[in-house]
Amino acid sequence: MQYNPGWNNSSVNLLHVRAVGPSDTLHYVWSSIGAPTVLLVASASRSSTLRINWTQLLSPAPAGAIWIDPPGSVVYSTAVVFTKVFEYSEAKTLEELFYPTYDLSDFSWDSINRTLNHTALTAELTGIPATGPSGSFSNGSLAFRVTAYEANGRDGPLPSLLHTADSSKVEFVLAGVAPRGNSSRFALEVATVEETGVVQKLRSARSIDDEYTPTIFETLSLVAQSQNGSSALSFLQWKATAYGSQTPRREDSIQCRSHGLQAANWTLPVSGIVHAYFGEGVGSTYTISAINISFGGEDGKVYQEKRYLSWSALLGFGQPPEDTFSPLVISIMAVALGTPMVMLLLGSCVVLFVQRKRYSEYEPIN
């Protein structure tokens, strides 16, 4: 993990996470230059490196300021941009009342370097509105917590996401932000940038096994795949829940919903590293998709009471991880289904034995 590689000024944030495999390299580039963004690049070279022209990157025309060397080693690249946070509540007419939007490209962000942990492979990007309606943030903040992984495993805290060594986790956190309504709910807008010929699809997987995330039976994945094939290139995956506590428990669960993945017909908010890497072709050579993820129950009271909201998602390359039935659940199912079958077989044997014995006591007539 490198903070602002090749640049000594901490007034901007760029975190480079580099993972080297047997024959390839995965690059994750997180930045708050503009809207918070992560750039994902897969290279077929173990020695590929991130190059940055800082003067150009911080100029009004950053196109071409970020590249991977050697350029020919790049096999796939994409970007995920966290663009806006909406706050809304339902009026008595069942219509939604929206408050002024929090545009994340207008936030002021603390230095990632203060929270960078090279041992735990974690970092935190914390911000407040630089201008506009910042009264709600007088005692609060918005944050994106980043975690990289060195091996396959499962997170301990809820929602206990299953992860691989190829993936990273991002946690969206609202802490102490004063709601502007009596039953405010929040929604996070997430945009993706893909090359032409790559399409985004929203998948939903349901399972009766909720051992690791109690009462949550749905996992959603935003998967990028080629139009000419079914293989997944990258993904953003999350459980259909958020939590209202720093130490989440089942009772702290907040309902999480996804609203309409669609091709974005608006201009992507200012994101320095997106334009620096993809150039001016964003929106023409490259396609933009967007999805809104909302948090809040039917009455929106959970955040009102606790003033805390956290939502976790996994992002990475290839197919998203899939949960299988755990040994505990398999054992329970085996007992639950097997016991009645054993009792039925034993009962049938006893009935047949009793019938046979009863008729054998009589002499046949004629």
Side-chain angles (χ1 to χ4, degrees):
M1 302 179 79
Q2 297 175 294
Y3 173 69
N4 287 355
W7 185 255
N8 294 324
N9 195 325
S10 61
S11 62
V12 295
N13 287 311
L14 189 146
L15 177 66
H16 177 215
V17 183
R18 182 170 177 262
V20 181
S23 60
D24 57 1
T25 306
L26 305 178
H27 299 269
Y28 293 84
V29 185
W30 300 85
S31 177
S32 63
I33 302 174
T37 304
V38 55
L39 173 68
L40 291 80
V41 183
S43 166
S45 169
R46 295 189 75 251
S47 59
S48 65
T49 55
L50 176 71
R51 302 294 186 187
I52 304 173
N53 183 329
W54 281 97
T55 303
Q56 187 176 353
L57 176 61
L58 301 178
S59 72
I66 295 178
W67 69 98
I68 298 297
D69 193 19
S73 67
V74 175
V75 293
Y76 174 71
S77 57
T78 184
V80 178
V81 188
F82 303 97
T83 53
K84 298 175 183 177
V85 172
F86 301 102
E87 183 180 351
Y88 63 98
S89 60
E90 277 191 1
K92 293 182 179 179
T93 59
L94 298 181
E95 293 181 355
E96 292 176 341
L97 171 65
F98 279 83
Y99 299 96
T101 302
Y102 294 117
D103 190 334
L104 300 186
S105 63
D106 294 332
F107 271 47
S108 174
W109 302 94
D110 292 343
S111 173
I112 292 181
N113 202 34
R114 299 175 186 173
T115 61
L116 186 58
N117 187 324
H118 290 276
T119 303
L121 300 179
T122 59
E124 184 171 329
L125 188 63
T126 305
I128 61 174
T131 58
S134 58
S136 298
F137 281 79
S138 57
N139 295 313
S141 63
L142 181 152
F144 292 94
R145 296 173 182 167
V146 178
T147 303
Y149 299 107
E150 291 182 308
N152 298 351
R154 184 184 297 276
D155 270 356
L158 292 175
S160 303
L161 293 173
L162 181 68
H163 62 78
T164 67
D166 297 342
S167 58
S168 293
K169 184 181 77 170
V170 58
E171 183 180 1
F172 167 68
V173 178
L174 278 178
V177 178
R180 290 172 284 183
N182 293 328
S183 57
S184 285
R185 308 176 197 180
F186 294 90
L188 175 65
E189 183 180 72
V190 182
T192 61
V193 180
E194 296 287 352
E195 299 175 358
T196 303
V198 178
V199 294
Q200 289 277 358
K201 291 190 176 181
L202 183 63
R203 299 178 182 174
S204 173
R206 294 182 179 272
S207 171
I208 63 171
D209 185 356
D210 68 337
E211 177 186 356
Y212 299 107
T213 312
T215 73
I216 306 302
F217 303 97
E218 183 180 19
T219 300
L220 295 114
S221 301
L222 187 59
V223 181
Q225 61 186 52
S226 172
Q227 289 179 337
N228 300 326
S230 59
S231 60
L233 301 172
S234 65
F235 64 86
L236 180 72
Q237 184 184 66
W238 65 95
K239 293 288 186 74
T241 185
Y243 292 95
S245 172
Q246 295 185 36
T247 54
R249 298 168 299 173
R250 182 181 64 181
E251 54 266 33
D252 299 318
S253 178
I254 298 175
Q255 190 176 45
C256 172
R257 292 177 176 173
S258 303
H259 303 270
L261 172 66
Q262 58 185 355
N265 55 4
W266 36 262
T267 303
L268 185 71
V270 178
S271 175
I273 65 171
V274 167
H275 290 285
Y277 182 82
F278 291 103
E280 301 300 333
V282 177
S284 56
T285 307
Y286 301 92
T287 58
I288 303 171
S289 301
I291 188 171
N292 289 338
I293 301 168
S294 65
F295 317 100
E298 294 301 323
D299 55 4
K301 295 292 185 182
V302 177
Y303 184 82
Q304 184 77 22
E305 296 171 356
K306 301 187 177 181
R307 300 284 178 92
Y308 191 88
L309 167 70
S310 71
W311 170 77
S312 299
L314 194 72
L315 50 87
F317 298 88
Q319 288 282 359
E322 292 185 8
D323 264 319
T324 56
F325 286 111
S326 65
L328 175 62
V329 172
I330 292 175
S331 301
I332 293 173
M333 292 175 64
V335 172
L337 298 176
T339 301
M341 291 297 297
V342 171
M343 293 179 66
L344 181 62
L345 289 173
L346 288 175
S348 301
C349 292
V350 169
V351 169
L352 290 173
F353 177 77
V354 170
Q355 286 182 342
R356 219 169 167 190
K357 184 177 180 182
R358 185 175 60 192
Y359 285 111
S360 65
E361 294 175 353
Y362 295 91
E363 292 292 332
I365 299 174
N366 296 331

